[in-house]
Amino acid sequence: MTKNIALCGIEKELVSTPERWGEYRLLRFCDEPERRGDVKLAYFLRDGPPVSLAVVGYPGAKGLAACDYLRTQSRELPILWLCSRREFEAEAKRIGVAFYDTDSLTTSLLDTKLPIDISKVTAKTGACRSAKMKNISKENTALKRKAKRVEDIMKIKQMAERLNRFSVRQKAKRIVALTLAMLMVNPVTGYGVTAHAQEGETITAFAKLSSEITTQQLAVGAKKSDIYLPETLNVTIGVSSVKTKENAAETPQTEENLTEEVKADESPADASTVWDNSAEESQAGANSPENNTATDSKATVVMDSGEVPLAANTDGFAISAVSGDVDTEPAEAVQITAEERTLMGITWEINTQRSGSDIFNSAHAGAVFFYEPVLPQGYVLADGVSLPQIQVQIEQNNQWAFSQNQTLDGIKITVKAEKGVFPEGAFLHAKKVNNTEDKEKIQSAISEEVKAENSAKTVTKLVSFDITITDAEGNELQPDTSKGEVKVSFAQLPMVTEAATSTQELKVFHMDDTLSTATKLDTTVNEETKSVEATAEHFSLYTVAMLTATAETGEASVTDSADTVTYYDTIEEAILVAQSKVNSTVKLLKDAGTESPIQITTGSFILDLNGKTMTYTDASGRGTTAIEMKSGAKLSVKDSVGNGGITAANARNSITAGSGCTLTLYAGSYTGIDTMPELVSSALAEGVDFENLDNTDEWISRATIALLNMQHVGNVRVGKMPAAVEVSEQGGGVHYYDTITEAISGAISLPESTLKLNKDISLNSELRITGGTFNFDLNGHTLTFTGSGNVMLQQGASITFKDSVGTGKISNSSIWATIYIQGDANAKLQGGTYENAKSGGEGINVLGDRNIGDLLVEGYIYRNLSDNAYISDTSSYKIGSVKVVPAPLKITNQPQDKTVQFDYTELPTFTVGFSKTVTENPTFKWYSVGTGTGGADEAMDGEETAVLAVEAGKSAGQYKYFCG
């Protein structure tokens, strides 16, 4: 019998005539613009005659993807991959594909390789595959029918649930109408409903794409067609299957016995009438003596054949009819199973959020594009499932004639070389260093190299690889760097993806053959691709190390314009070096002390205080400044953390900037700043001012500096002068205002926002709030009205007054009420003091059918300012000067009723649960109801605690108590 051999990715001229193969027939599947050969072969495997062997000739990642795709179509089909890229061999073996390394595909190759593999194929392989595919086809057909039946049962369940809202007679009419409608619309199948496909199928997982597909490099000027974008995707689909309870353990039904007979019930006399008039039904039901309203669990439908109870009982997703004398089918349960499936005809589009562009453009090296698939119609993603991504990076055109990579323990090692550096046929080999003794030698050699350059650094992490390049015959090669450049890179390193601190840096080292000498290489860290790269001149062992400067070993670091970080033992050393590195940054790593002024005579750099303090102490007592700038020097001082500063312990200034210097202050605290002969405001960066630390909340404005011709300030902090008022949006945005009236207008336009005072404010006129819903936070500050002014809430305003600090106050001394709330306005009080110094004046006045108690947020109480007493009577519409505070006591649990036997020996107790906001303990008084003189309530003797123990010896009867 002639056996079929399928070929894809192999040119026609390489294919021998069928006669040359004797008993074998070659089937060639050619690439076409709309479909590749391996996709066409996949269709053939499903529907065509058996295939004994598949031969794939695509190179590289494209070939691996084709093999992987064909393997998903058949686990038994022998696949032979002809490929010249040996780095793909391991991946081919993993998916069960025979790999043959070859430089080129020739007729001779096919004549020799194919017969060898074909001789291993038995006739049984094709027969088994054919039989299995037929069985799978039948099982899939049955499962699809069952899944459709589940969908229809769910619709019937929803109808039944809606019917439970109607009377019995209305249910009968509805059921008849719905049944007839379904029969008219749907052709009757074995299940009484159509067997259409589901509206949407849910993808629960995507098969992982190989790294050669997910990460691709193209040369500058490459075409979009050069990107390999798979036309198929292997996915997992969540599939529903139905089983009856009594047959749950049996084998699933085949297509032949799935058909069921439709048994038609007798129709009621008026079954031919179909309508949907809710108003008419409601009216008819209201006048009907038979209007027995159904409950949520059961409804009885009256038919000519009798009463049939419909119950919304469910088992899985199925519905069962419950009746004592009506035959019903066993309930059916739905099981969700996973089905692997291959989606064909997949197209890809650019992920604009990750790519930054929606158009592919390879004109510039370094550009990165991410592609994601467009799902075919009818498929949706399950929650938590994301689309696979393919990253395409544009590299310098024709720069790398040699580019190979290998992945070990998740770390991708890549070696790239320009033309001529390695001969054709060179191959990359790499293995990770795991030997403990070798790792210790490497650690020691690198630590010695690092310490020799900078004693402030230590090696905290490292990973090493032995990298070699061989020719086609396995002979080891070294690069000919006279012909061009060689790069070695390491991607997906844990130490790159982890967040590094400001005191850490990554470096690549080359080790000699004895592992005793380490050479540090110029290293580039690419945050976007999570990789490090270095220039290589010799191949043996390479190490990526993380270097860290600890607080114990260095006071400061210097980062130059190339982002190279160097660590220094003292701040003096760091500043001295920075003067020769333009645009560098000196960062304080710990609090530091100096005993001599630091001279800055040249250069332009930044000093980052980093939340630390530099303290200058002059032992001689003659010093005047911690840092002295000479003509031409440029210094900018920042504080990336906050609370940093420069302190002169026994000197006048932290920084003195002489004539011709440029000093720019962005942040920090200072003993003194001197800019003679320039105004001291010349040292301020845009948007900041001096805060006077000798007088809290006092700021020295630029206008004041100009007015007083100030060339020196002392004991100041540089920062942004706070606005008088700020308004915070509910979503997080903050707006700043110079006046409270502007802030009120802003808060009105931002529902549920919070207006907060940042300083004490005085007004000599009324503050009207005409609308809005927002919080008014005094924030520990005072809003004082002088003259005839107060806070007035008018129609539409809904304001919650609070005080997040505890000392905030609204004060008035000349008008009858500090806060006046009109009848159509609303206010809530959650803190703050409301003071009126006018004789007989009121702190709060509220109009309308309300009292002052209605204004309190739950858990708060008024406290009188005059005697600090709590105010329990809040029935009035007005109150004097008060403070709103948390209630000192809150009842959390009421005492519960109890029943005891007549001859009880254990005394029954009643307990009041409470919480308190004060230190002192509250007292409780218990009363016996109706046992006093003339039936009055009687106070009980005993301790005034939250627990009452009833005395023994009570006669049978009912006794009532309460706590007051």
Side-chain angles (χ1 to χ4, degrees), residues 500-532:
T501 67
S502 59
T503 61
Q504 296 176 325
E505 63 174 337
L506 290 166
K507 288 293 181 183
V508 177
F509 292 83
H510 177 251
M511 306 298 301
D512 69 351
D513 294 337
T514 64
L515 305 184
S516 59
T517 302
T519 303
K520 187 177 73 171
L521 306 178
D522 289 337
T523 305
T524 301
V525 180
N526 190 324
E527 295 292 344
E528 187 170 8
T529 59
K530 305 297 182 185
S531 65
V532 295

Side-chain angles (χ1 to χ4, degrees), residues 682-727:
S682 64
L684 288 171
E686 185 176 354
V688 297
D689 292 280
F690 291 114
E691 180 184 8
N692 186 355
L693 296 181
D694 291 328
N695 190 351
T696 305
D697 288 340
E698 180 181 292
W699 289 78
I700 306 172
S701 68
R702 296 167 192 255
T704 301
I705 292 173
L707 179 65
L708 300 179
N709 193 29
M710 298 173 63
Q711 299 170 352
H712 172 270
V713 290
N715 199 19
V716 294
R717 182 183 71 87
V718 175
K720 182 177 176 60
M721 183 186 300
V725 190
E726 67 181 58
V727 175

Side-chain angles (χ1 to χ4, degrees), residues 922-936:
T923 59
F924 298 84
K925 189 64 179 177
W926 291 89
Y927 296 85
S928 175
V929 178
T931 60
T933 304

Side-chain angles (χ1 to χ4, degrees), residues 857-868:
V857 172
E858 183 178 358
Y860 283 80
I861 193 171
Y862 293 110
R863 199 163 191 172
N864 199 323
L865 287 186
S866 60
D867 58 9
N868 220 24

